[in-house]
Amino acid sequence: MAALRTAHPAVLRGALRLYIRAPGPPASAVGLRCVSDAAPQDQTGVPSESTEEYKFVERLVPPSRVPAPPPRAGPSPSGWTPPADAPPPLAYTVRRSRMHNIPVYTDTTHGSRRTTLVRKVEGDIWALERDVKQHLKEVMGTEPPTQVNEVTMTLKVKGHVDSELKEWLVSKGF
Amino acid sequence: MSFPKKPASKALGILQNLPRISLANLRPEPGAKKAETRRGRGQHGGNRSGRGHKGERQRGTRPRLGFVGGQTPFYLAIPKYGYNEGHSRRPQYQPLSLRRLQYLIDLGRVDPTHPVDLTQLVNARGVTVQPLKRDYGVQLVDEGADIFSAKINIEVQRASEGAVAAIERNGGVITTSYYDPISLGILIKPVPFFLRGQPIPKRMLPGEDMVRYYTDAESRGYLADPEKIQQARLALALKYGYTLPDISKDELYHMLSMRKDVRQIFFGLAPGWVVSMPEKKILKPTDEKLLKYYRS
């Protein structure tokens, strides 16, 4: 079934011709004949069973867990970078999301209120806040207001700074 | 109020040492709640309350939106034209950029060592297709063509020329094929279909309006002539300025040349077969009429 099949328009027309049935006996007679002649036991209708092609079915089943990305060193063509093997020696960590990405998200409220959220922080979140403020001052020139939520361990920054923060976190090795 | 100044638990420290929070000891931040202006309550019993002076404005009897005093309004003077006629019945194709496809391959969600199908893309949670919303499949968009560098055998429903060029430049194979809405529903969710216990149906051929696209070699249609497709590959390589790699000498040539039959929905499974998932068996018909029907 995996063979190449050329289907010229002529072949298509031939396939369609099979559906044009020749005029046969009227439908009522055909129905009666089927009912009266059918034997109670099955004659040729027993299907054959096979387990060899079941491997093709197994390939169609969707995985229930997120697969681990193949190991690589350095950024991939799409820009994704794996985390460093050893966690960096800092007072805080930023874990990867379950899809193996950096957990920095942007939000826009009221059409013009832009915020960036850094989630999944563990450890000393205030040290992370200090480092983020210092890095953004170097990169952007201004220190945007930030909000630390110790209960959910998240850091909110005013403005859309997700690309800067993602690059910085990747460079740190998170 | 005294609370221990631990480096990372100021909020918890405050909460532990303060009395219980209740409605009696909560107050909004000064300046957070601004008293609203109530109209008509000013000096001397209020004034016009922001409604103006007499007329329809003050009395609230203005005519409907679009009324222009009796002259034929704009929305009636302009003649109708069917720009959006039947818009809800037009076939739609969910876009998939090459950049997203590259991202899925890099994260290991799509396996490039097997032919990539719409089932594989949906299993990887890369695209979401809704056949009940007139989606007829997925279309490849050439955003990210410059960073795309994977050699895959991919089958989509539509593809832009730039996307085709990007895939063939990396030594891959792209085919566009048609799935009628029932076959599409089965293709994206194979397991619920197998649990129904029905035989795999034949994939229907495209209708009049789509036959032209799928018999065209330029769009790599599955009904097109393979020789014309090869010529189209060379022509596209010349147009976009890259050398077409020879896939016949590739080690994955067998995988890259795998293509589904015109009436086949899944690789390796023919129409007419019933899949029994609890028993892990496949039941194939033996009656000649059925075999003739499913082979046509």
Side-chain angles (χ1 to χ4, degrees):
Chain A
M1 274 300 167
L4 260 155
R5 179 168 152 167
T6 53
H8 295 268
V11 174
L12 264 178
R13 266 181 260 124
L16 291 164
R17 221 175 275 135
L18 287 168
Y19 290 105
I20 304 165
R21 282 153 60 207
S28 52
V30 168
L32 280 170
R33 199 167 57 217
C34 286
V35 164
S36 55
D37 288 357
Q41 73 273 20
D42 41 39
Q43 300 142 353
T44 53
V46 180
S48 69
E49 299 180 356
S50 111
T51 42
E52 285 135 23
E53 286 98 350
Y54 196 77
K55 59 178 193 283
F56 294 107
V57 175
E58 277 161 10
R59 266 188 231 164
L60 299 169
V61 173
S64 52
R65 296 205 169 201
V66 182
R72 56 156 49 240
S76 68
S78 60
W80 178 79
T81 319
D85 295 325
L90 292 161
Y92 50 85
T93 3
V94 178
R95 276 195 194 241
R96 291 261 173 147
S97 72
R98 70 190 72 191
M99 296 299 198
H100 311 291
N101 295 320
I102 300 275
V104 171
Y105 308 101
T106 51
D107 195 13
T108 311
T109 335
H110 306 92
S112 58
R113 182 189 187 207
R114 292 167 199 178
T115 45
T116 313
L117 186 71
V118 178
R119 275 189 65 236
K120 293 180 82 92
V121 184
E122 286 168 12
D124 190 359
I125 195 169
W126 294 100
L128 170 68
E129 195 224 7
R130 265 180 265 125
D131 291 349
V132 158
K133 280 194 140 141
Q134 191 211 349
H135 174 74
L136 289 175
K137 191 163 184 181
E138 286 163 23
V139 166
M140 283 178 11
T142 51
E143 252 190 39
T146 54
Q147 183 198 43
V148 164
N149 188 333
E150 281 179 356
V151 178
T152 51
M153 293 300 267
T154 54
L155 178 70
K156 211 181 257 197
V157 181
K158 184 173 173 181
H160 275 2
V161 289
D162 59 317
S163 37
E164 288 95 338
L165 285 182
K166 278 182 186 169
E167 269 176 45
W168 179 69
L169 285 169
V170 156
S171 70
K172 288 267 180 174
F174 289 120
Chain B
M1 254 156 299
S2 65
F3 46 89
K5 278 206 180 205
K6 270 186 279 178
S9 61
K10 289 184 193 174
L12 284 174
I14 293 168
L15 270 179
Q16 275 163 3
N17 288 289
L18 284 175
R20 179 180 298 186
I21 289 176
S22 72
L23 284 177
N25 46 22
L26 282 173
R27 189 199 301 187
E29 181 83 0
K33 301 279 184 186
K34 190 171 171 179
E36 66 164 16
T37 320
R38 292 177 67 212
R39 304 222 184 216
R41 302 287 188 282
Q43 207 177 19
H44 313 304
N47 210 339
R48 295 199 189 93
S49 314
R51 293 299 302 244
H53 174 68
K54 285 191 190 175
E56 287 175 340
R57 292 157 196 238
Q58 195 175 23
R59 291 167 181 147
T61 48
R62 272 202 240 201
R64 66 181 183 278
L65 186 70
F67 184 71
V68 286
Q71 169 180 290
T72 313
F74 175 80
Y75 72 94
L76 289 180
I78 304 299
K80 281 195 194 180
Y81 187 82
Y83 291 109
N84 296 329
E85 189 177 337
H87 73 283
S88 58
R89 284 173 217 211
R90 285 183 201 153
Q92 296 176 357
Y93 298 91
Q94 184 73 11
L96 173 68
S97 65
L98 287 170
R99 193 169 145 192
R100 177 136 177 97
L101 184 58
Q102 181 68 50
Y103 165 79
L104 294 169
I105 293 170
D106 291 337
L107 284 232
R109 280 151 72 170
V110 160
D111 188 9
T113 57
H114 285 101
V116 175
D117 199 5
L118 188 54
T119 320
Q120 301 300 323
L121 288 169
V122 168
N123 286 355
R125 278 57 158 200
V127 286
T128 306
V129 176
Q130 298 169 301
L132 295 174
K133 299 286 176 193
R134 276 73 63 193
D135 272 355
Y136 273 63
V138 86
Q139 55 173 325
L140 260 183
V141 166
D142 48 348
E143 184 199 324
D146 42 344
I147 53 164
F148 190 74
S149 58
K151 183 167 63 174
I152 43 167
N153 175 4
I154 187 162
E155 186 200 54
V156 285
Q157 280 66 57
R158 293 261 148 163
S160 68
E161 202 185 46
V164 172
I167 292 191
E168 291 182 346
R169 182 195 342 209
N170 290 300
V173 170
I174 175 165
T175 320
T176 47
S177 57
Y178 174 76
Y179 288 88
D180 56 288
I182 297 178
S183 305
L184 191 73
I186 294 168
L187 182 73
I188 56 173
K189 291 185 178 171
V191 175
F193 171 72
F194 293 145
L195 292 172
R196 273 183 241 167
Q198 290 167 8
I200 299 175
K202 295 192 287 191
R203 204 197 327 171
M204 291 294 121
L205 291 164
E208 263 181 61
D209 47 341
M210 302 218 203
V211 150
R212 194 160 171 196
Y213 182 83
Y214 291 108
T215 43
D216 194 12
E218 302 279 327
S219 30
R220 307 293 184 271
Y222 70 131
L223 300 170
D225 199 357
E227 286 135 27
K228 293 211 178 113
I229 288 183
Q230 187 56 29
Q231 288 166 15
R233 280 164 62 98
L234 292 164
L236 198 69
L238 281 172
K239 179 174 177 181
Y240 277 76
Y242 58 88
T243 45
L244 188 69
D246 192 5
I247 53 168
S248 55
K249 300 200 177 51
D250 204 325
E251 55 193 11
L252 290 167
Y253 174 63
H254 174 72
M255 186 281 291
L256 288 173
S257 61
M258 272 171 85
R259 265 169 136 211
K260 287 184 199 172
D261 184 58
V262 174
R263 295 289 200 179
Q264 196 184 9
I265 299 182
F266 300 113
F267 273 115
L269 302 174
W273 293 0
V274 178
V275 171
S276 165
M277 291 197 79
E279 292 164 13
K280 300 208 177 169
K281 268 196 285 199
I282 293 179
L283 305 160
K284 301 179 193 178
T286 46
D287 191 26
E288 337 173 331
K289 286 186 186 165
L290 285 175
L291 289 171
K292 191 175 166 194
Y293 169 76
Y294 282 117
R295 248 186 247 136
S296 61

